[in-house]
Amino acid sequence: MNILLINHYAGSRRHGMEYRPYYLAREWQRLGHRVRIVAASSSHVRSVAPPVSGGLQREDIDGIEYFWIRTPPYQGNGVRRVLNMLAFVTGLYRHGRELTADARPDAVIASSTYPLDVFPAHRIARRTGARLIFELHDLWPLSPMELGGMPRWHPFIAMMQVGENFACRNADALVSMLPKAEEHLRAHGLGPGKFHYVPNGIDVSEWTAVPDPLPDGIRARLDQLKRDGRFLVGYAGAHGLANALDYLIEAAKLTRDDPVTYVLVGQGPEKAGLQAKAAGLGLSNVEFLPPVTKSQIPTLIGEMHAMFIGWRRKAIYRFGISPNKLMDYMMAGKPVIHSIEAGNDLVAESGCGVSVPPESPSAIADAVRHLAAMSAEQRRSMGARGRDFVVAHHDYRVLAGRFLDAMA
C-alpha cells in the first residue's frame, strides 16, 4: 500500500515533535508499505527546523520520505500562526500533483491538529482514487472554544467548523486519539462504522536500549537529594497553563514538612511564574531543572520514586485524553499521580498509580504521602502494571496495525 500522510506538525527523532507520524510510518514500512509524509517547514513544536529551498523540499529520514512545504515562521497563537496554517494548506493544493507523481497513494491521511488539511487531502484522494482517512488529534473548533474561550461566531471558529463537518461527511474512515469522541462526530455527519480509536503510543524498543546519561549538573543534584533521603516526585515536560503545575506547587506547600522533593524538569511559558510562586511561598522542596533530551527521558524518570501529570478541570476532556507524557511515565515503570477528570483514565485502567480530582492540592498531597508510605516493592509492582499495559496496548507496532485496519 502507498500511504500519503499529511501532518502539518510532523517531526522525527532528528527534528523533534511531533513523533507519532514518524513512528507509524516506520512501522508501516517494516510491514512492506511505502509511506510519504508531508509537513510544514515551520512548526512551534519542533526543536530543529528542516532546511527548505524553494516551495517544496524532499528529505529522506530513516528511509521515510518527507516532503516539507515552505511556510512562514510564527510564535504563539496569533495571526501569524493562522497565516502559517493557510500557507501549508495552500501549498498542498499547489504541490498536490508533485506529491503523488511517482507514488499514486492508496490512502491519503489528513492528520494536522486543525481540520483544514482535509480539503486538499480530499482533492488528492479523489483524483488518485485513494481512500480518505481523517485523523483526529483534538476537537477543533471545540478545543479553542472551550479551552481558549473563543466565541462560536469568530471567523476562525466558523472556518474550523466547516472543516470538521467536511471531514466527518467525506472521510472513508476517521481515526481518533480521543476514545469518547464518536457521538460528537456523529452529530457532525460521521457515518456509522467509520470511527476507529487509535491512541497515542510509544516505541518500546527505545526503552530496551541503554538510555543516555543525564547531564552532570542534573545527575549531581538528584544524587544529593537521594543521599538526603528525599522521596522524589517528578514531572517532565512542558510548563504550560494546561499542565496544572500550580496545583503541584500548592501540594508542595502542604507537604513541606515531609521528606519529599518535587522535581520539575522542562521549559515553558509558565515556568518563571511557577518559580516565582515557589520562591514566594518559601518552598525548599521544589527543584526546577532544565529540559533533557528525549533519549535522556528514560534515565531521568528512572531516578524518580513517582511521577505527576495534571490537568485542569475542563469540559473538553469529557471526550478523553491521550498524552504522550503519560506513556513515558508508565513505560518507565513508575507509579503515577494522575490529577484528572476525563472520559478515560489510563492510570486507573491499568492500576499503575493514584488518580485524584483535578485542581486539588490536598488530594495531590495525600497521593504523594500514600505512595511514599509504600514499600519499594509495592511501588515497583504498581509501576510494572503500567509498563505491561503500555506494551500490550500502546506499542506503535500494535497501533500501526490497528491504524491499517481502519484504512482497509
Side-chain angles (χ1 to χ4, degrees):
M1 181 188 297
N2 287 337
I3 301 170
L4 182 68
L5 197 167
I6 299 168
N7 184 308
H8 186 127
Y9 306 104
S12 70
R13 290 193 295 184
R14 183 185 306 174
H15 300 94
M17 292 177 64
E18 100 183 36
Y19 297 107
R20 178 180 170 98
Y22 167 84
Y23 286 123
L24 286 173
R26 192 181 63 178
E27 296 305 327
W28 290 333
Q29 293 208 156
R30 285 175 176 168
L31 294 172
H33 305 286
R34 180 178 181 181
V35 187
R36 178 168 288 179
I37 294 175
V38 186
S41 63
S42 296
S43 162
H44 66 288
V45 295
R46 290 196 207 106
S47 54
V48 177
V52 176
S53 59
L56 185 69
Q57 181 73 44
R58 183 188 181 282
E59 184 177 8
D60 183 281
I61 302 174
D62 298 334
I64 303 169
E65 295 177 281
Y66 277 72
F67 280 81
W68 306 106
I69 292 177
R70 179 181 289 279
T71 57
Y74 66 96
Q75 291 182 342
N77 291 317
V79 174
R80 290 190 65 84
R81 184 176 181 186
V82 176
L83 294 176
N84 178 275
M85 294 177 185
L86 295 177
F88 180 66
V89 173
T90 301
L92 288 170
Y93 279 113
R94 182 181 300 122
H95 300 293
R97 291 191 178 274
E98 295 175 69
L99 295 170
T100 60
D102 62 337
R104 188 181 187 90
D106 300 293
V108 177
I109 304 170
S111 178
S112 300
T113 304
Y114 57 90
L116 298 183
D117 63 345
V118 73
F119 295 107
H122 176 261
R123 181 182 183 183
I124 294 171
R126 187 173 56 182
R127 177 173 53 80
T128 59
R131 286 175 59 80
L132 176 63
I133 314 299
F134 183 70
E135 185 179 28
L136 178 75
H137 296 240
D138 297 314
L139 286 169
W140 284 49
L142 207 55
S143 289
M145 289 170 62
E146 295 194 4
L147 294 178
M150 297 184 72
R152 186 177 298 277
W153 50 261
H154 193 285
F156 179 79
I157 294 298
M159 181 170 57
M160 294 298 124
Q161 189 61 71
V162 170
E164 181 182 60
N165 292 347
F166 185 88
C168 289
R169 292 168 183 163
N170 290 277
D172 294 297
L174 188 148
V175 173
S176 173
M177 300 184 201
L178 308 178
K180 306 297 183 180
E182 183 173 8
E183 183 177 351
H184 169 84
L185 298 167
R186 291 285 293 272
H188 288 274
L190 185 68
K194 291 187 174 183
F195 181 87
H196 303 267
Y197 171 51
V198 182
N200 264 322
I202 201 164
D203 180 11
V204 171
S205 67
E206 291 183 351
W207 290 80
T208 57
V210 178
D212 287 348
L214 293 172
D216 291 342
I218 293 178
R219 163 59 65 190
R221 185 56 187 147
L222 295 180
D223 287 347
Q224 183 59 58
L225 289 169
K226 286 188 171 183
R227 284 195 296 271
D228 292 341
R230 309 296 290 184
F231 182 83
L232 303 184
V233 178
Y235 171 85
H239 292 39
L241 190 63
N243 306 112
L245 294 175
D246 47 337
Y247 300 103
L248 187 63
I249 301 299
E250 292 287 347
K253 176 184 175 183
L254 297 176
T255 55
R256 67 195 311 166
D257 295 327
D258 296 273
V260 176
T261 295
Y262 299 82
V263 182
L264 281 66
V265 181
Q267 195 59 268
E270 298 298 310
K271 183 168 183 174
L274 293 166
Q275 289 174 309
K277 181 172 185 172
L281 293 171
L283 299 180
S284 60
N285 60 341
V286 181
E287 296 279 336
F288 291 92
L289 300 178
V292 299
T293 66
K294 179 177 171 59
S295 60
Q296 293 168 331
I297 286 291
T299 307
L300 174 72
I301 301 177
E303 294 299 319
M304 304 298 159
H305 295 102
M307 299 298 293
F308 170 83
I309 179 170
W311 307 78
R312 296 189 177 274
R313 181 176 280 109
K314 296 290 184 180
I316 192 69
Y317 299 139
R318 65 191 180 276
F319 299 105
I321 57 170
S322 188
N324 283 313
K325 185 189 296 99
L326 182 54
M327 307 297 166
D328 287 337
Y329 291 180
M330 295 169 72
M331 192 61 205
K334 294 296 176 177
V336 180
I337 299 166
H338 199 195
S339 180
I340 183 68
E341 184 178 274
N344 66 323
D345 180 356
L346 299 184
V347 172
E349 291 175 37
S350 64
C352 73
V354 182
S355 295
V356 300
E359 303 183 1
S360 176
S362 61
I364 296 171
D366 288 344
V368 169
R369 292 185 177 118
H370 174 70
L371 292 177
M374 285 183 170
S375 68
E377 181 55 39
Q378 287 174 314
R379 288 194 297 270
R380 277 194 293 271
S381 178
M382 181 177 280
R385 291 196 289 270
R387 185 189 300 112
D388 292 344
F389 187 91
V390 169
V391 171
H393 302 289
H394 293 274
D395 185 350
Y396 270 115
R397 291 179 182 267
V398 175
L399 299 180
R402 289 173 58 178
F403 206 122
L404 285 174
D405 290 341
M407 290 191 283

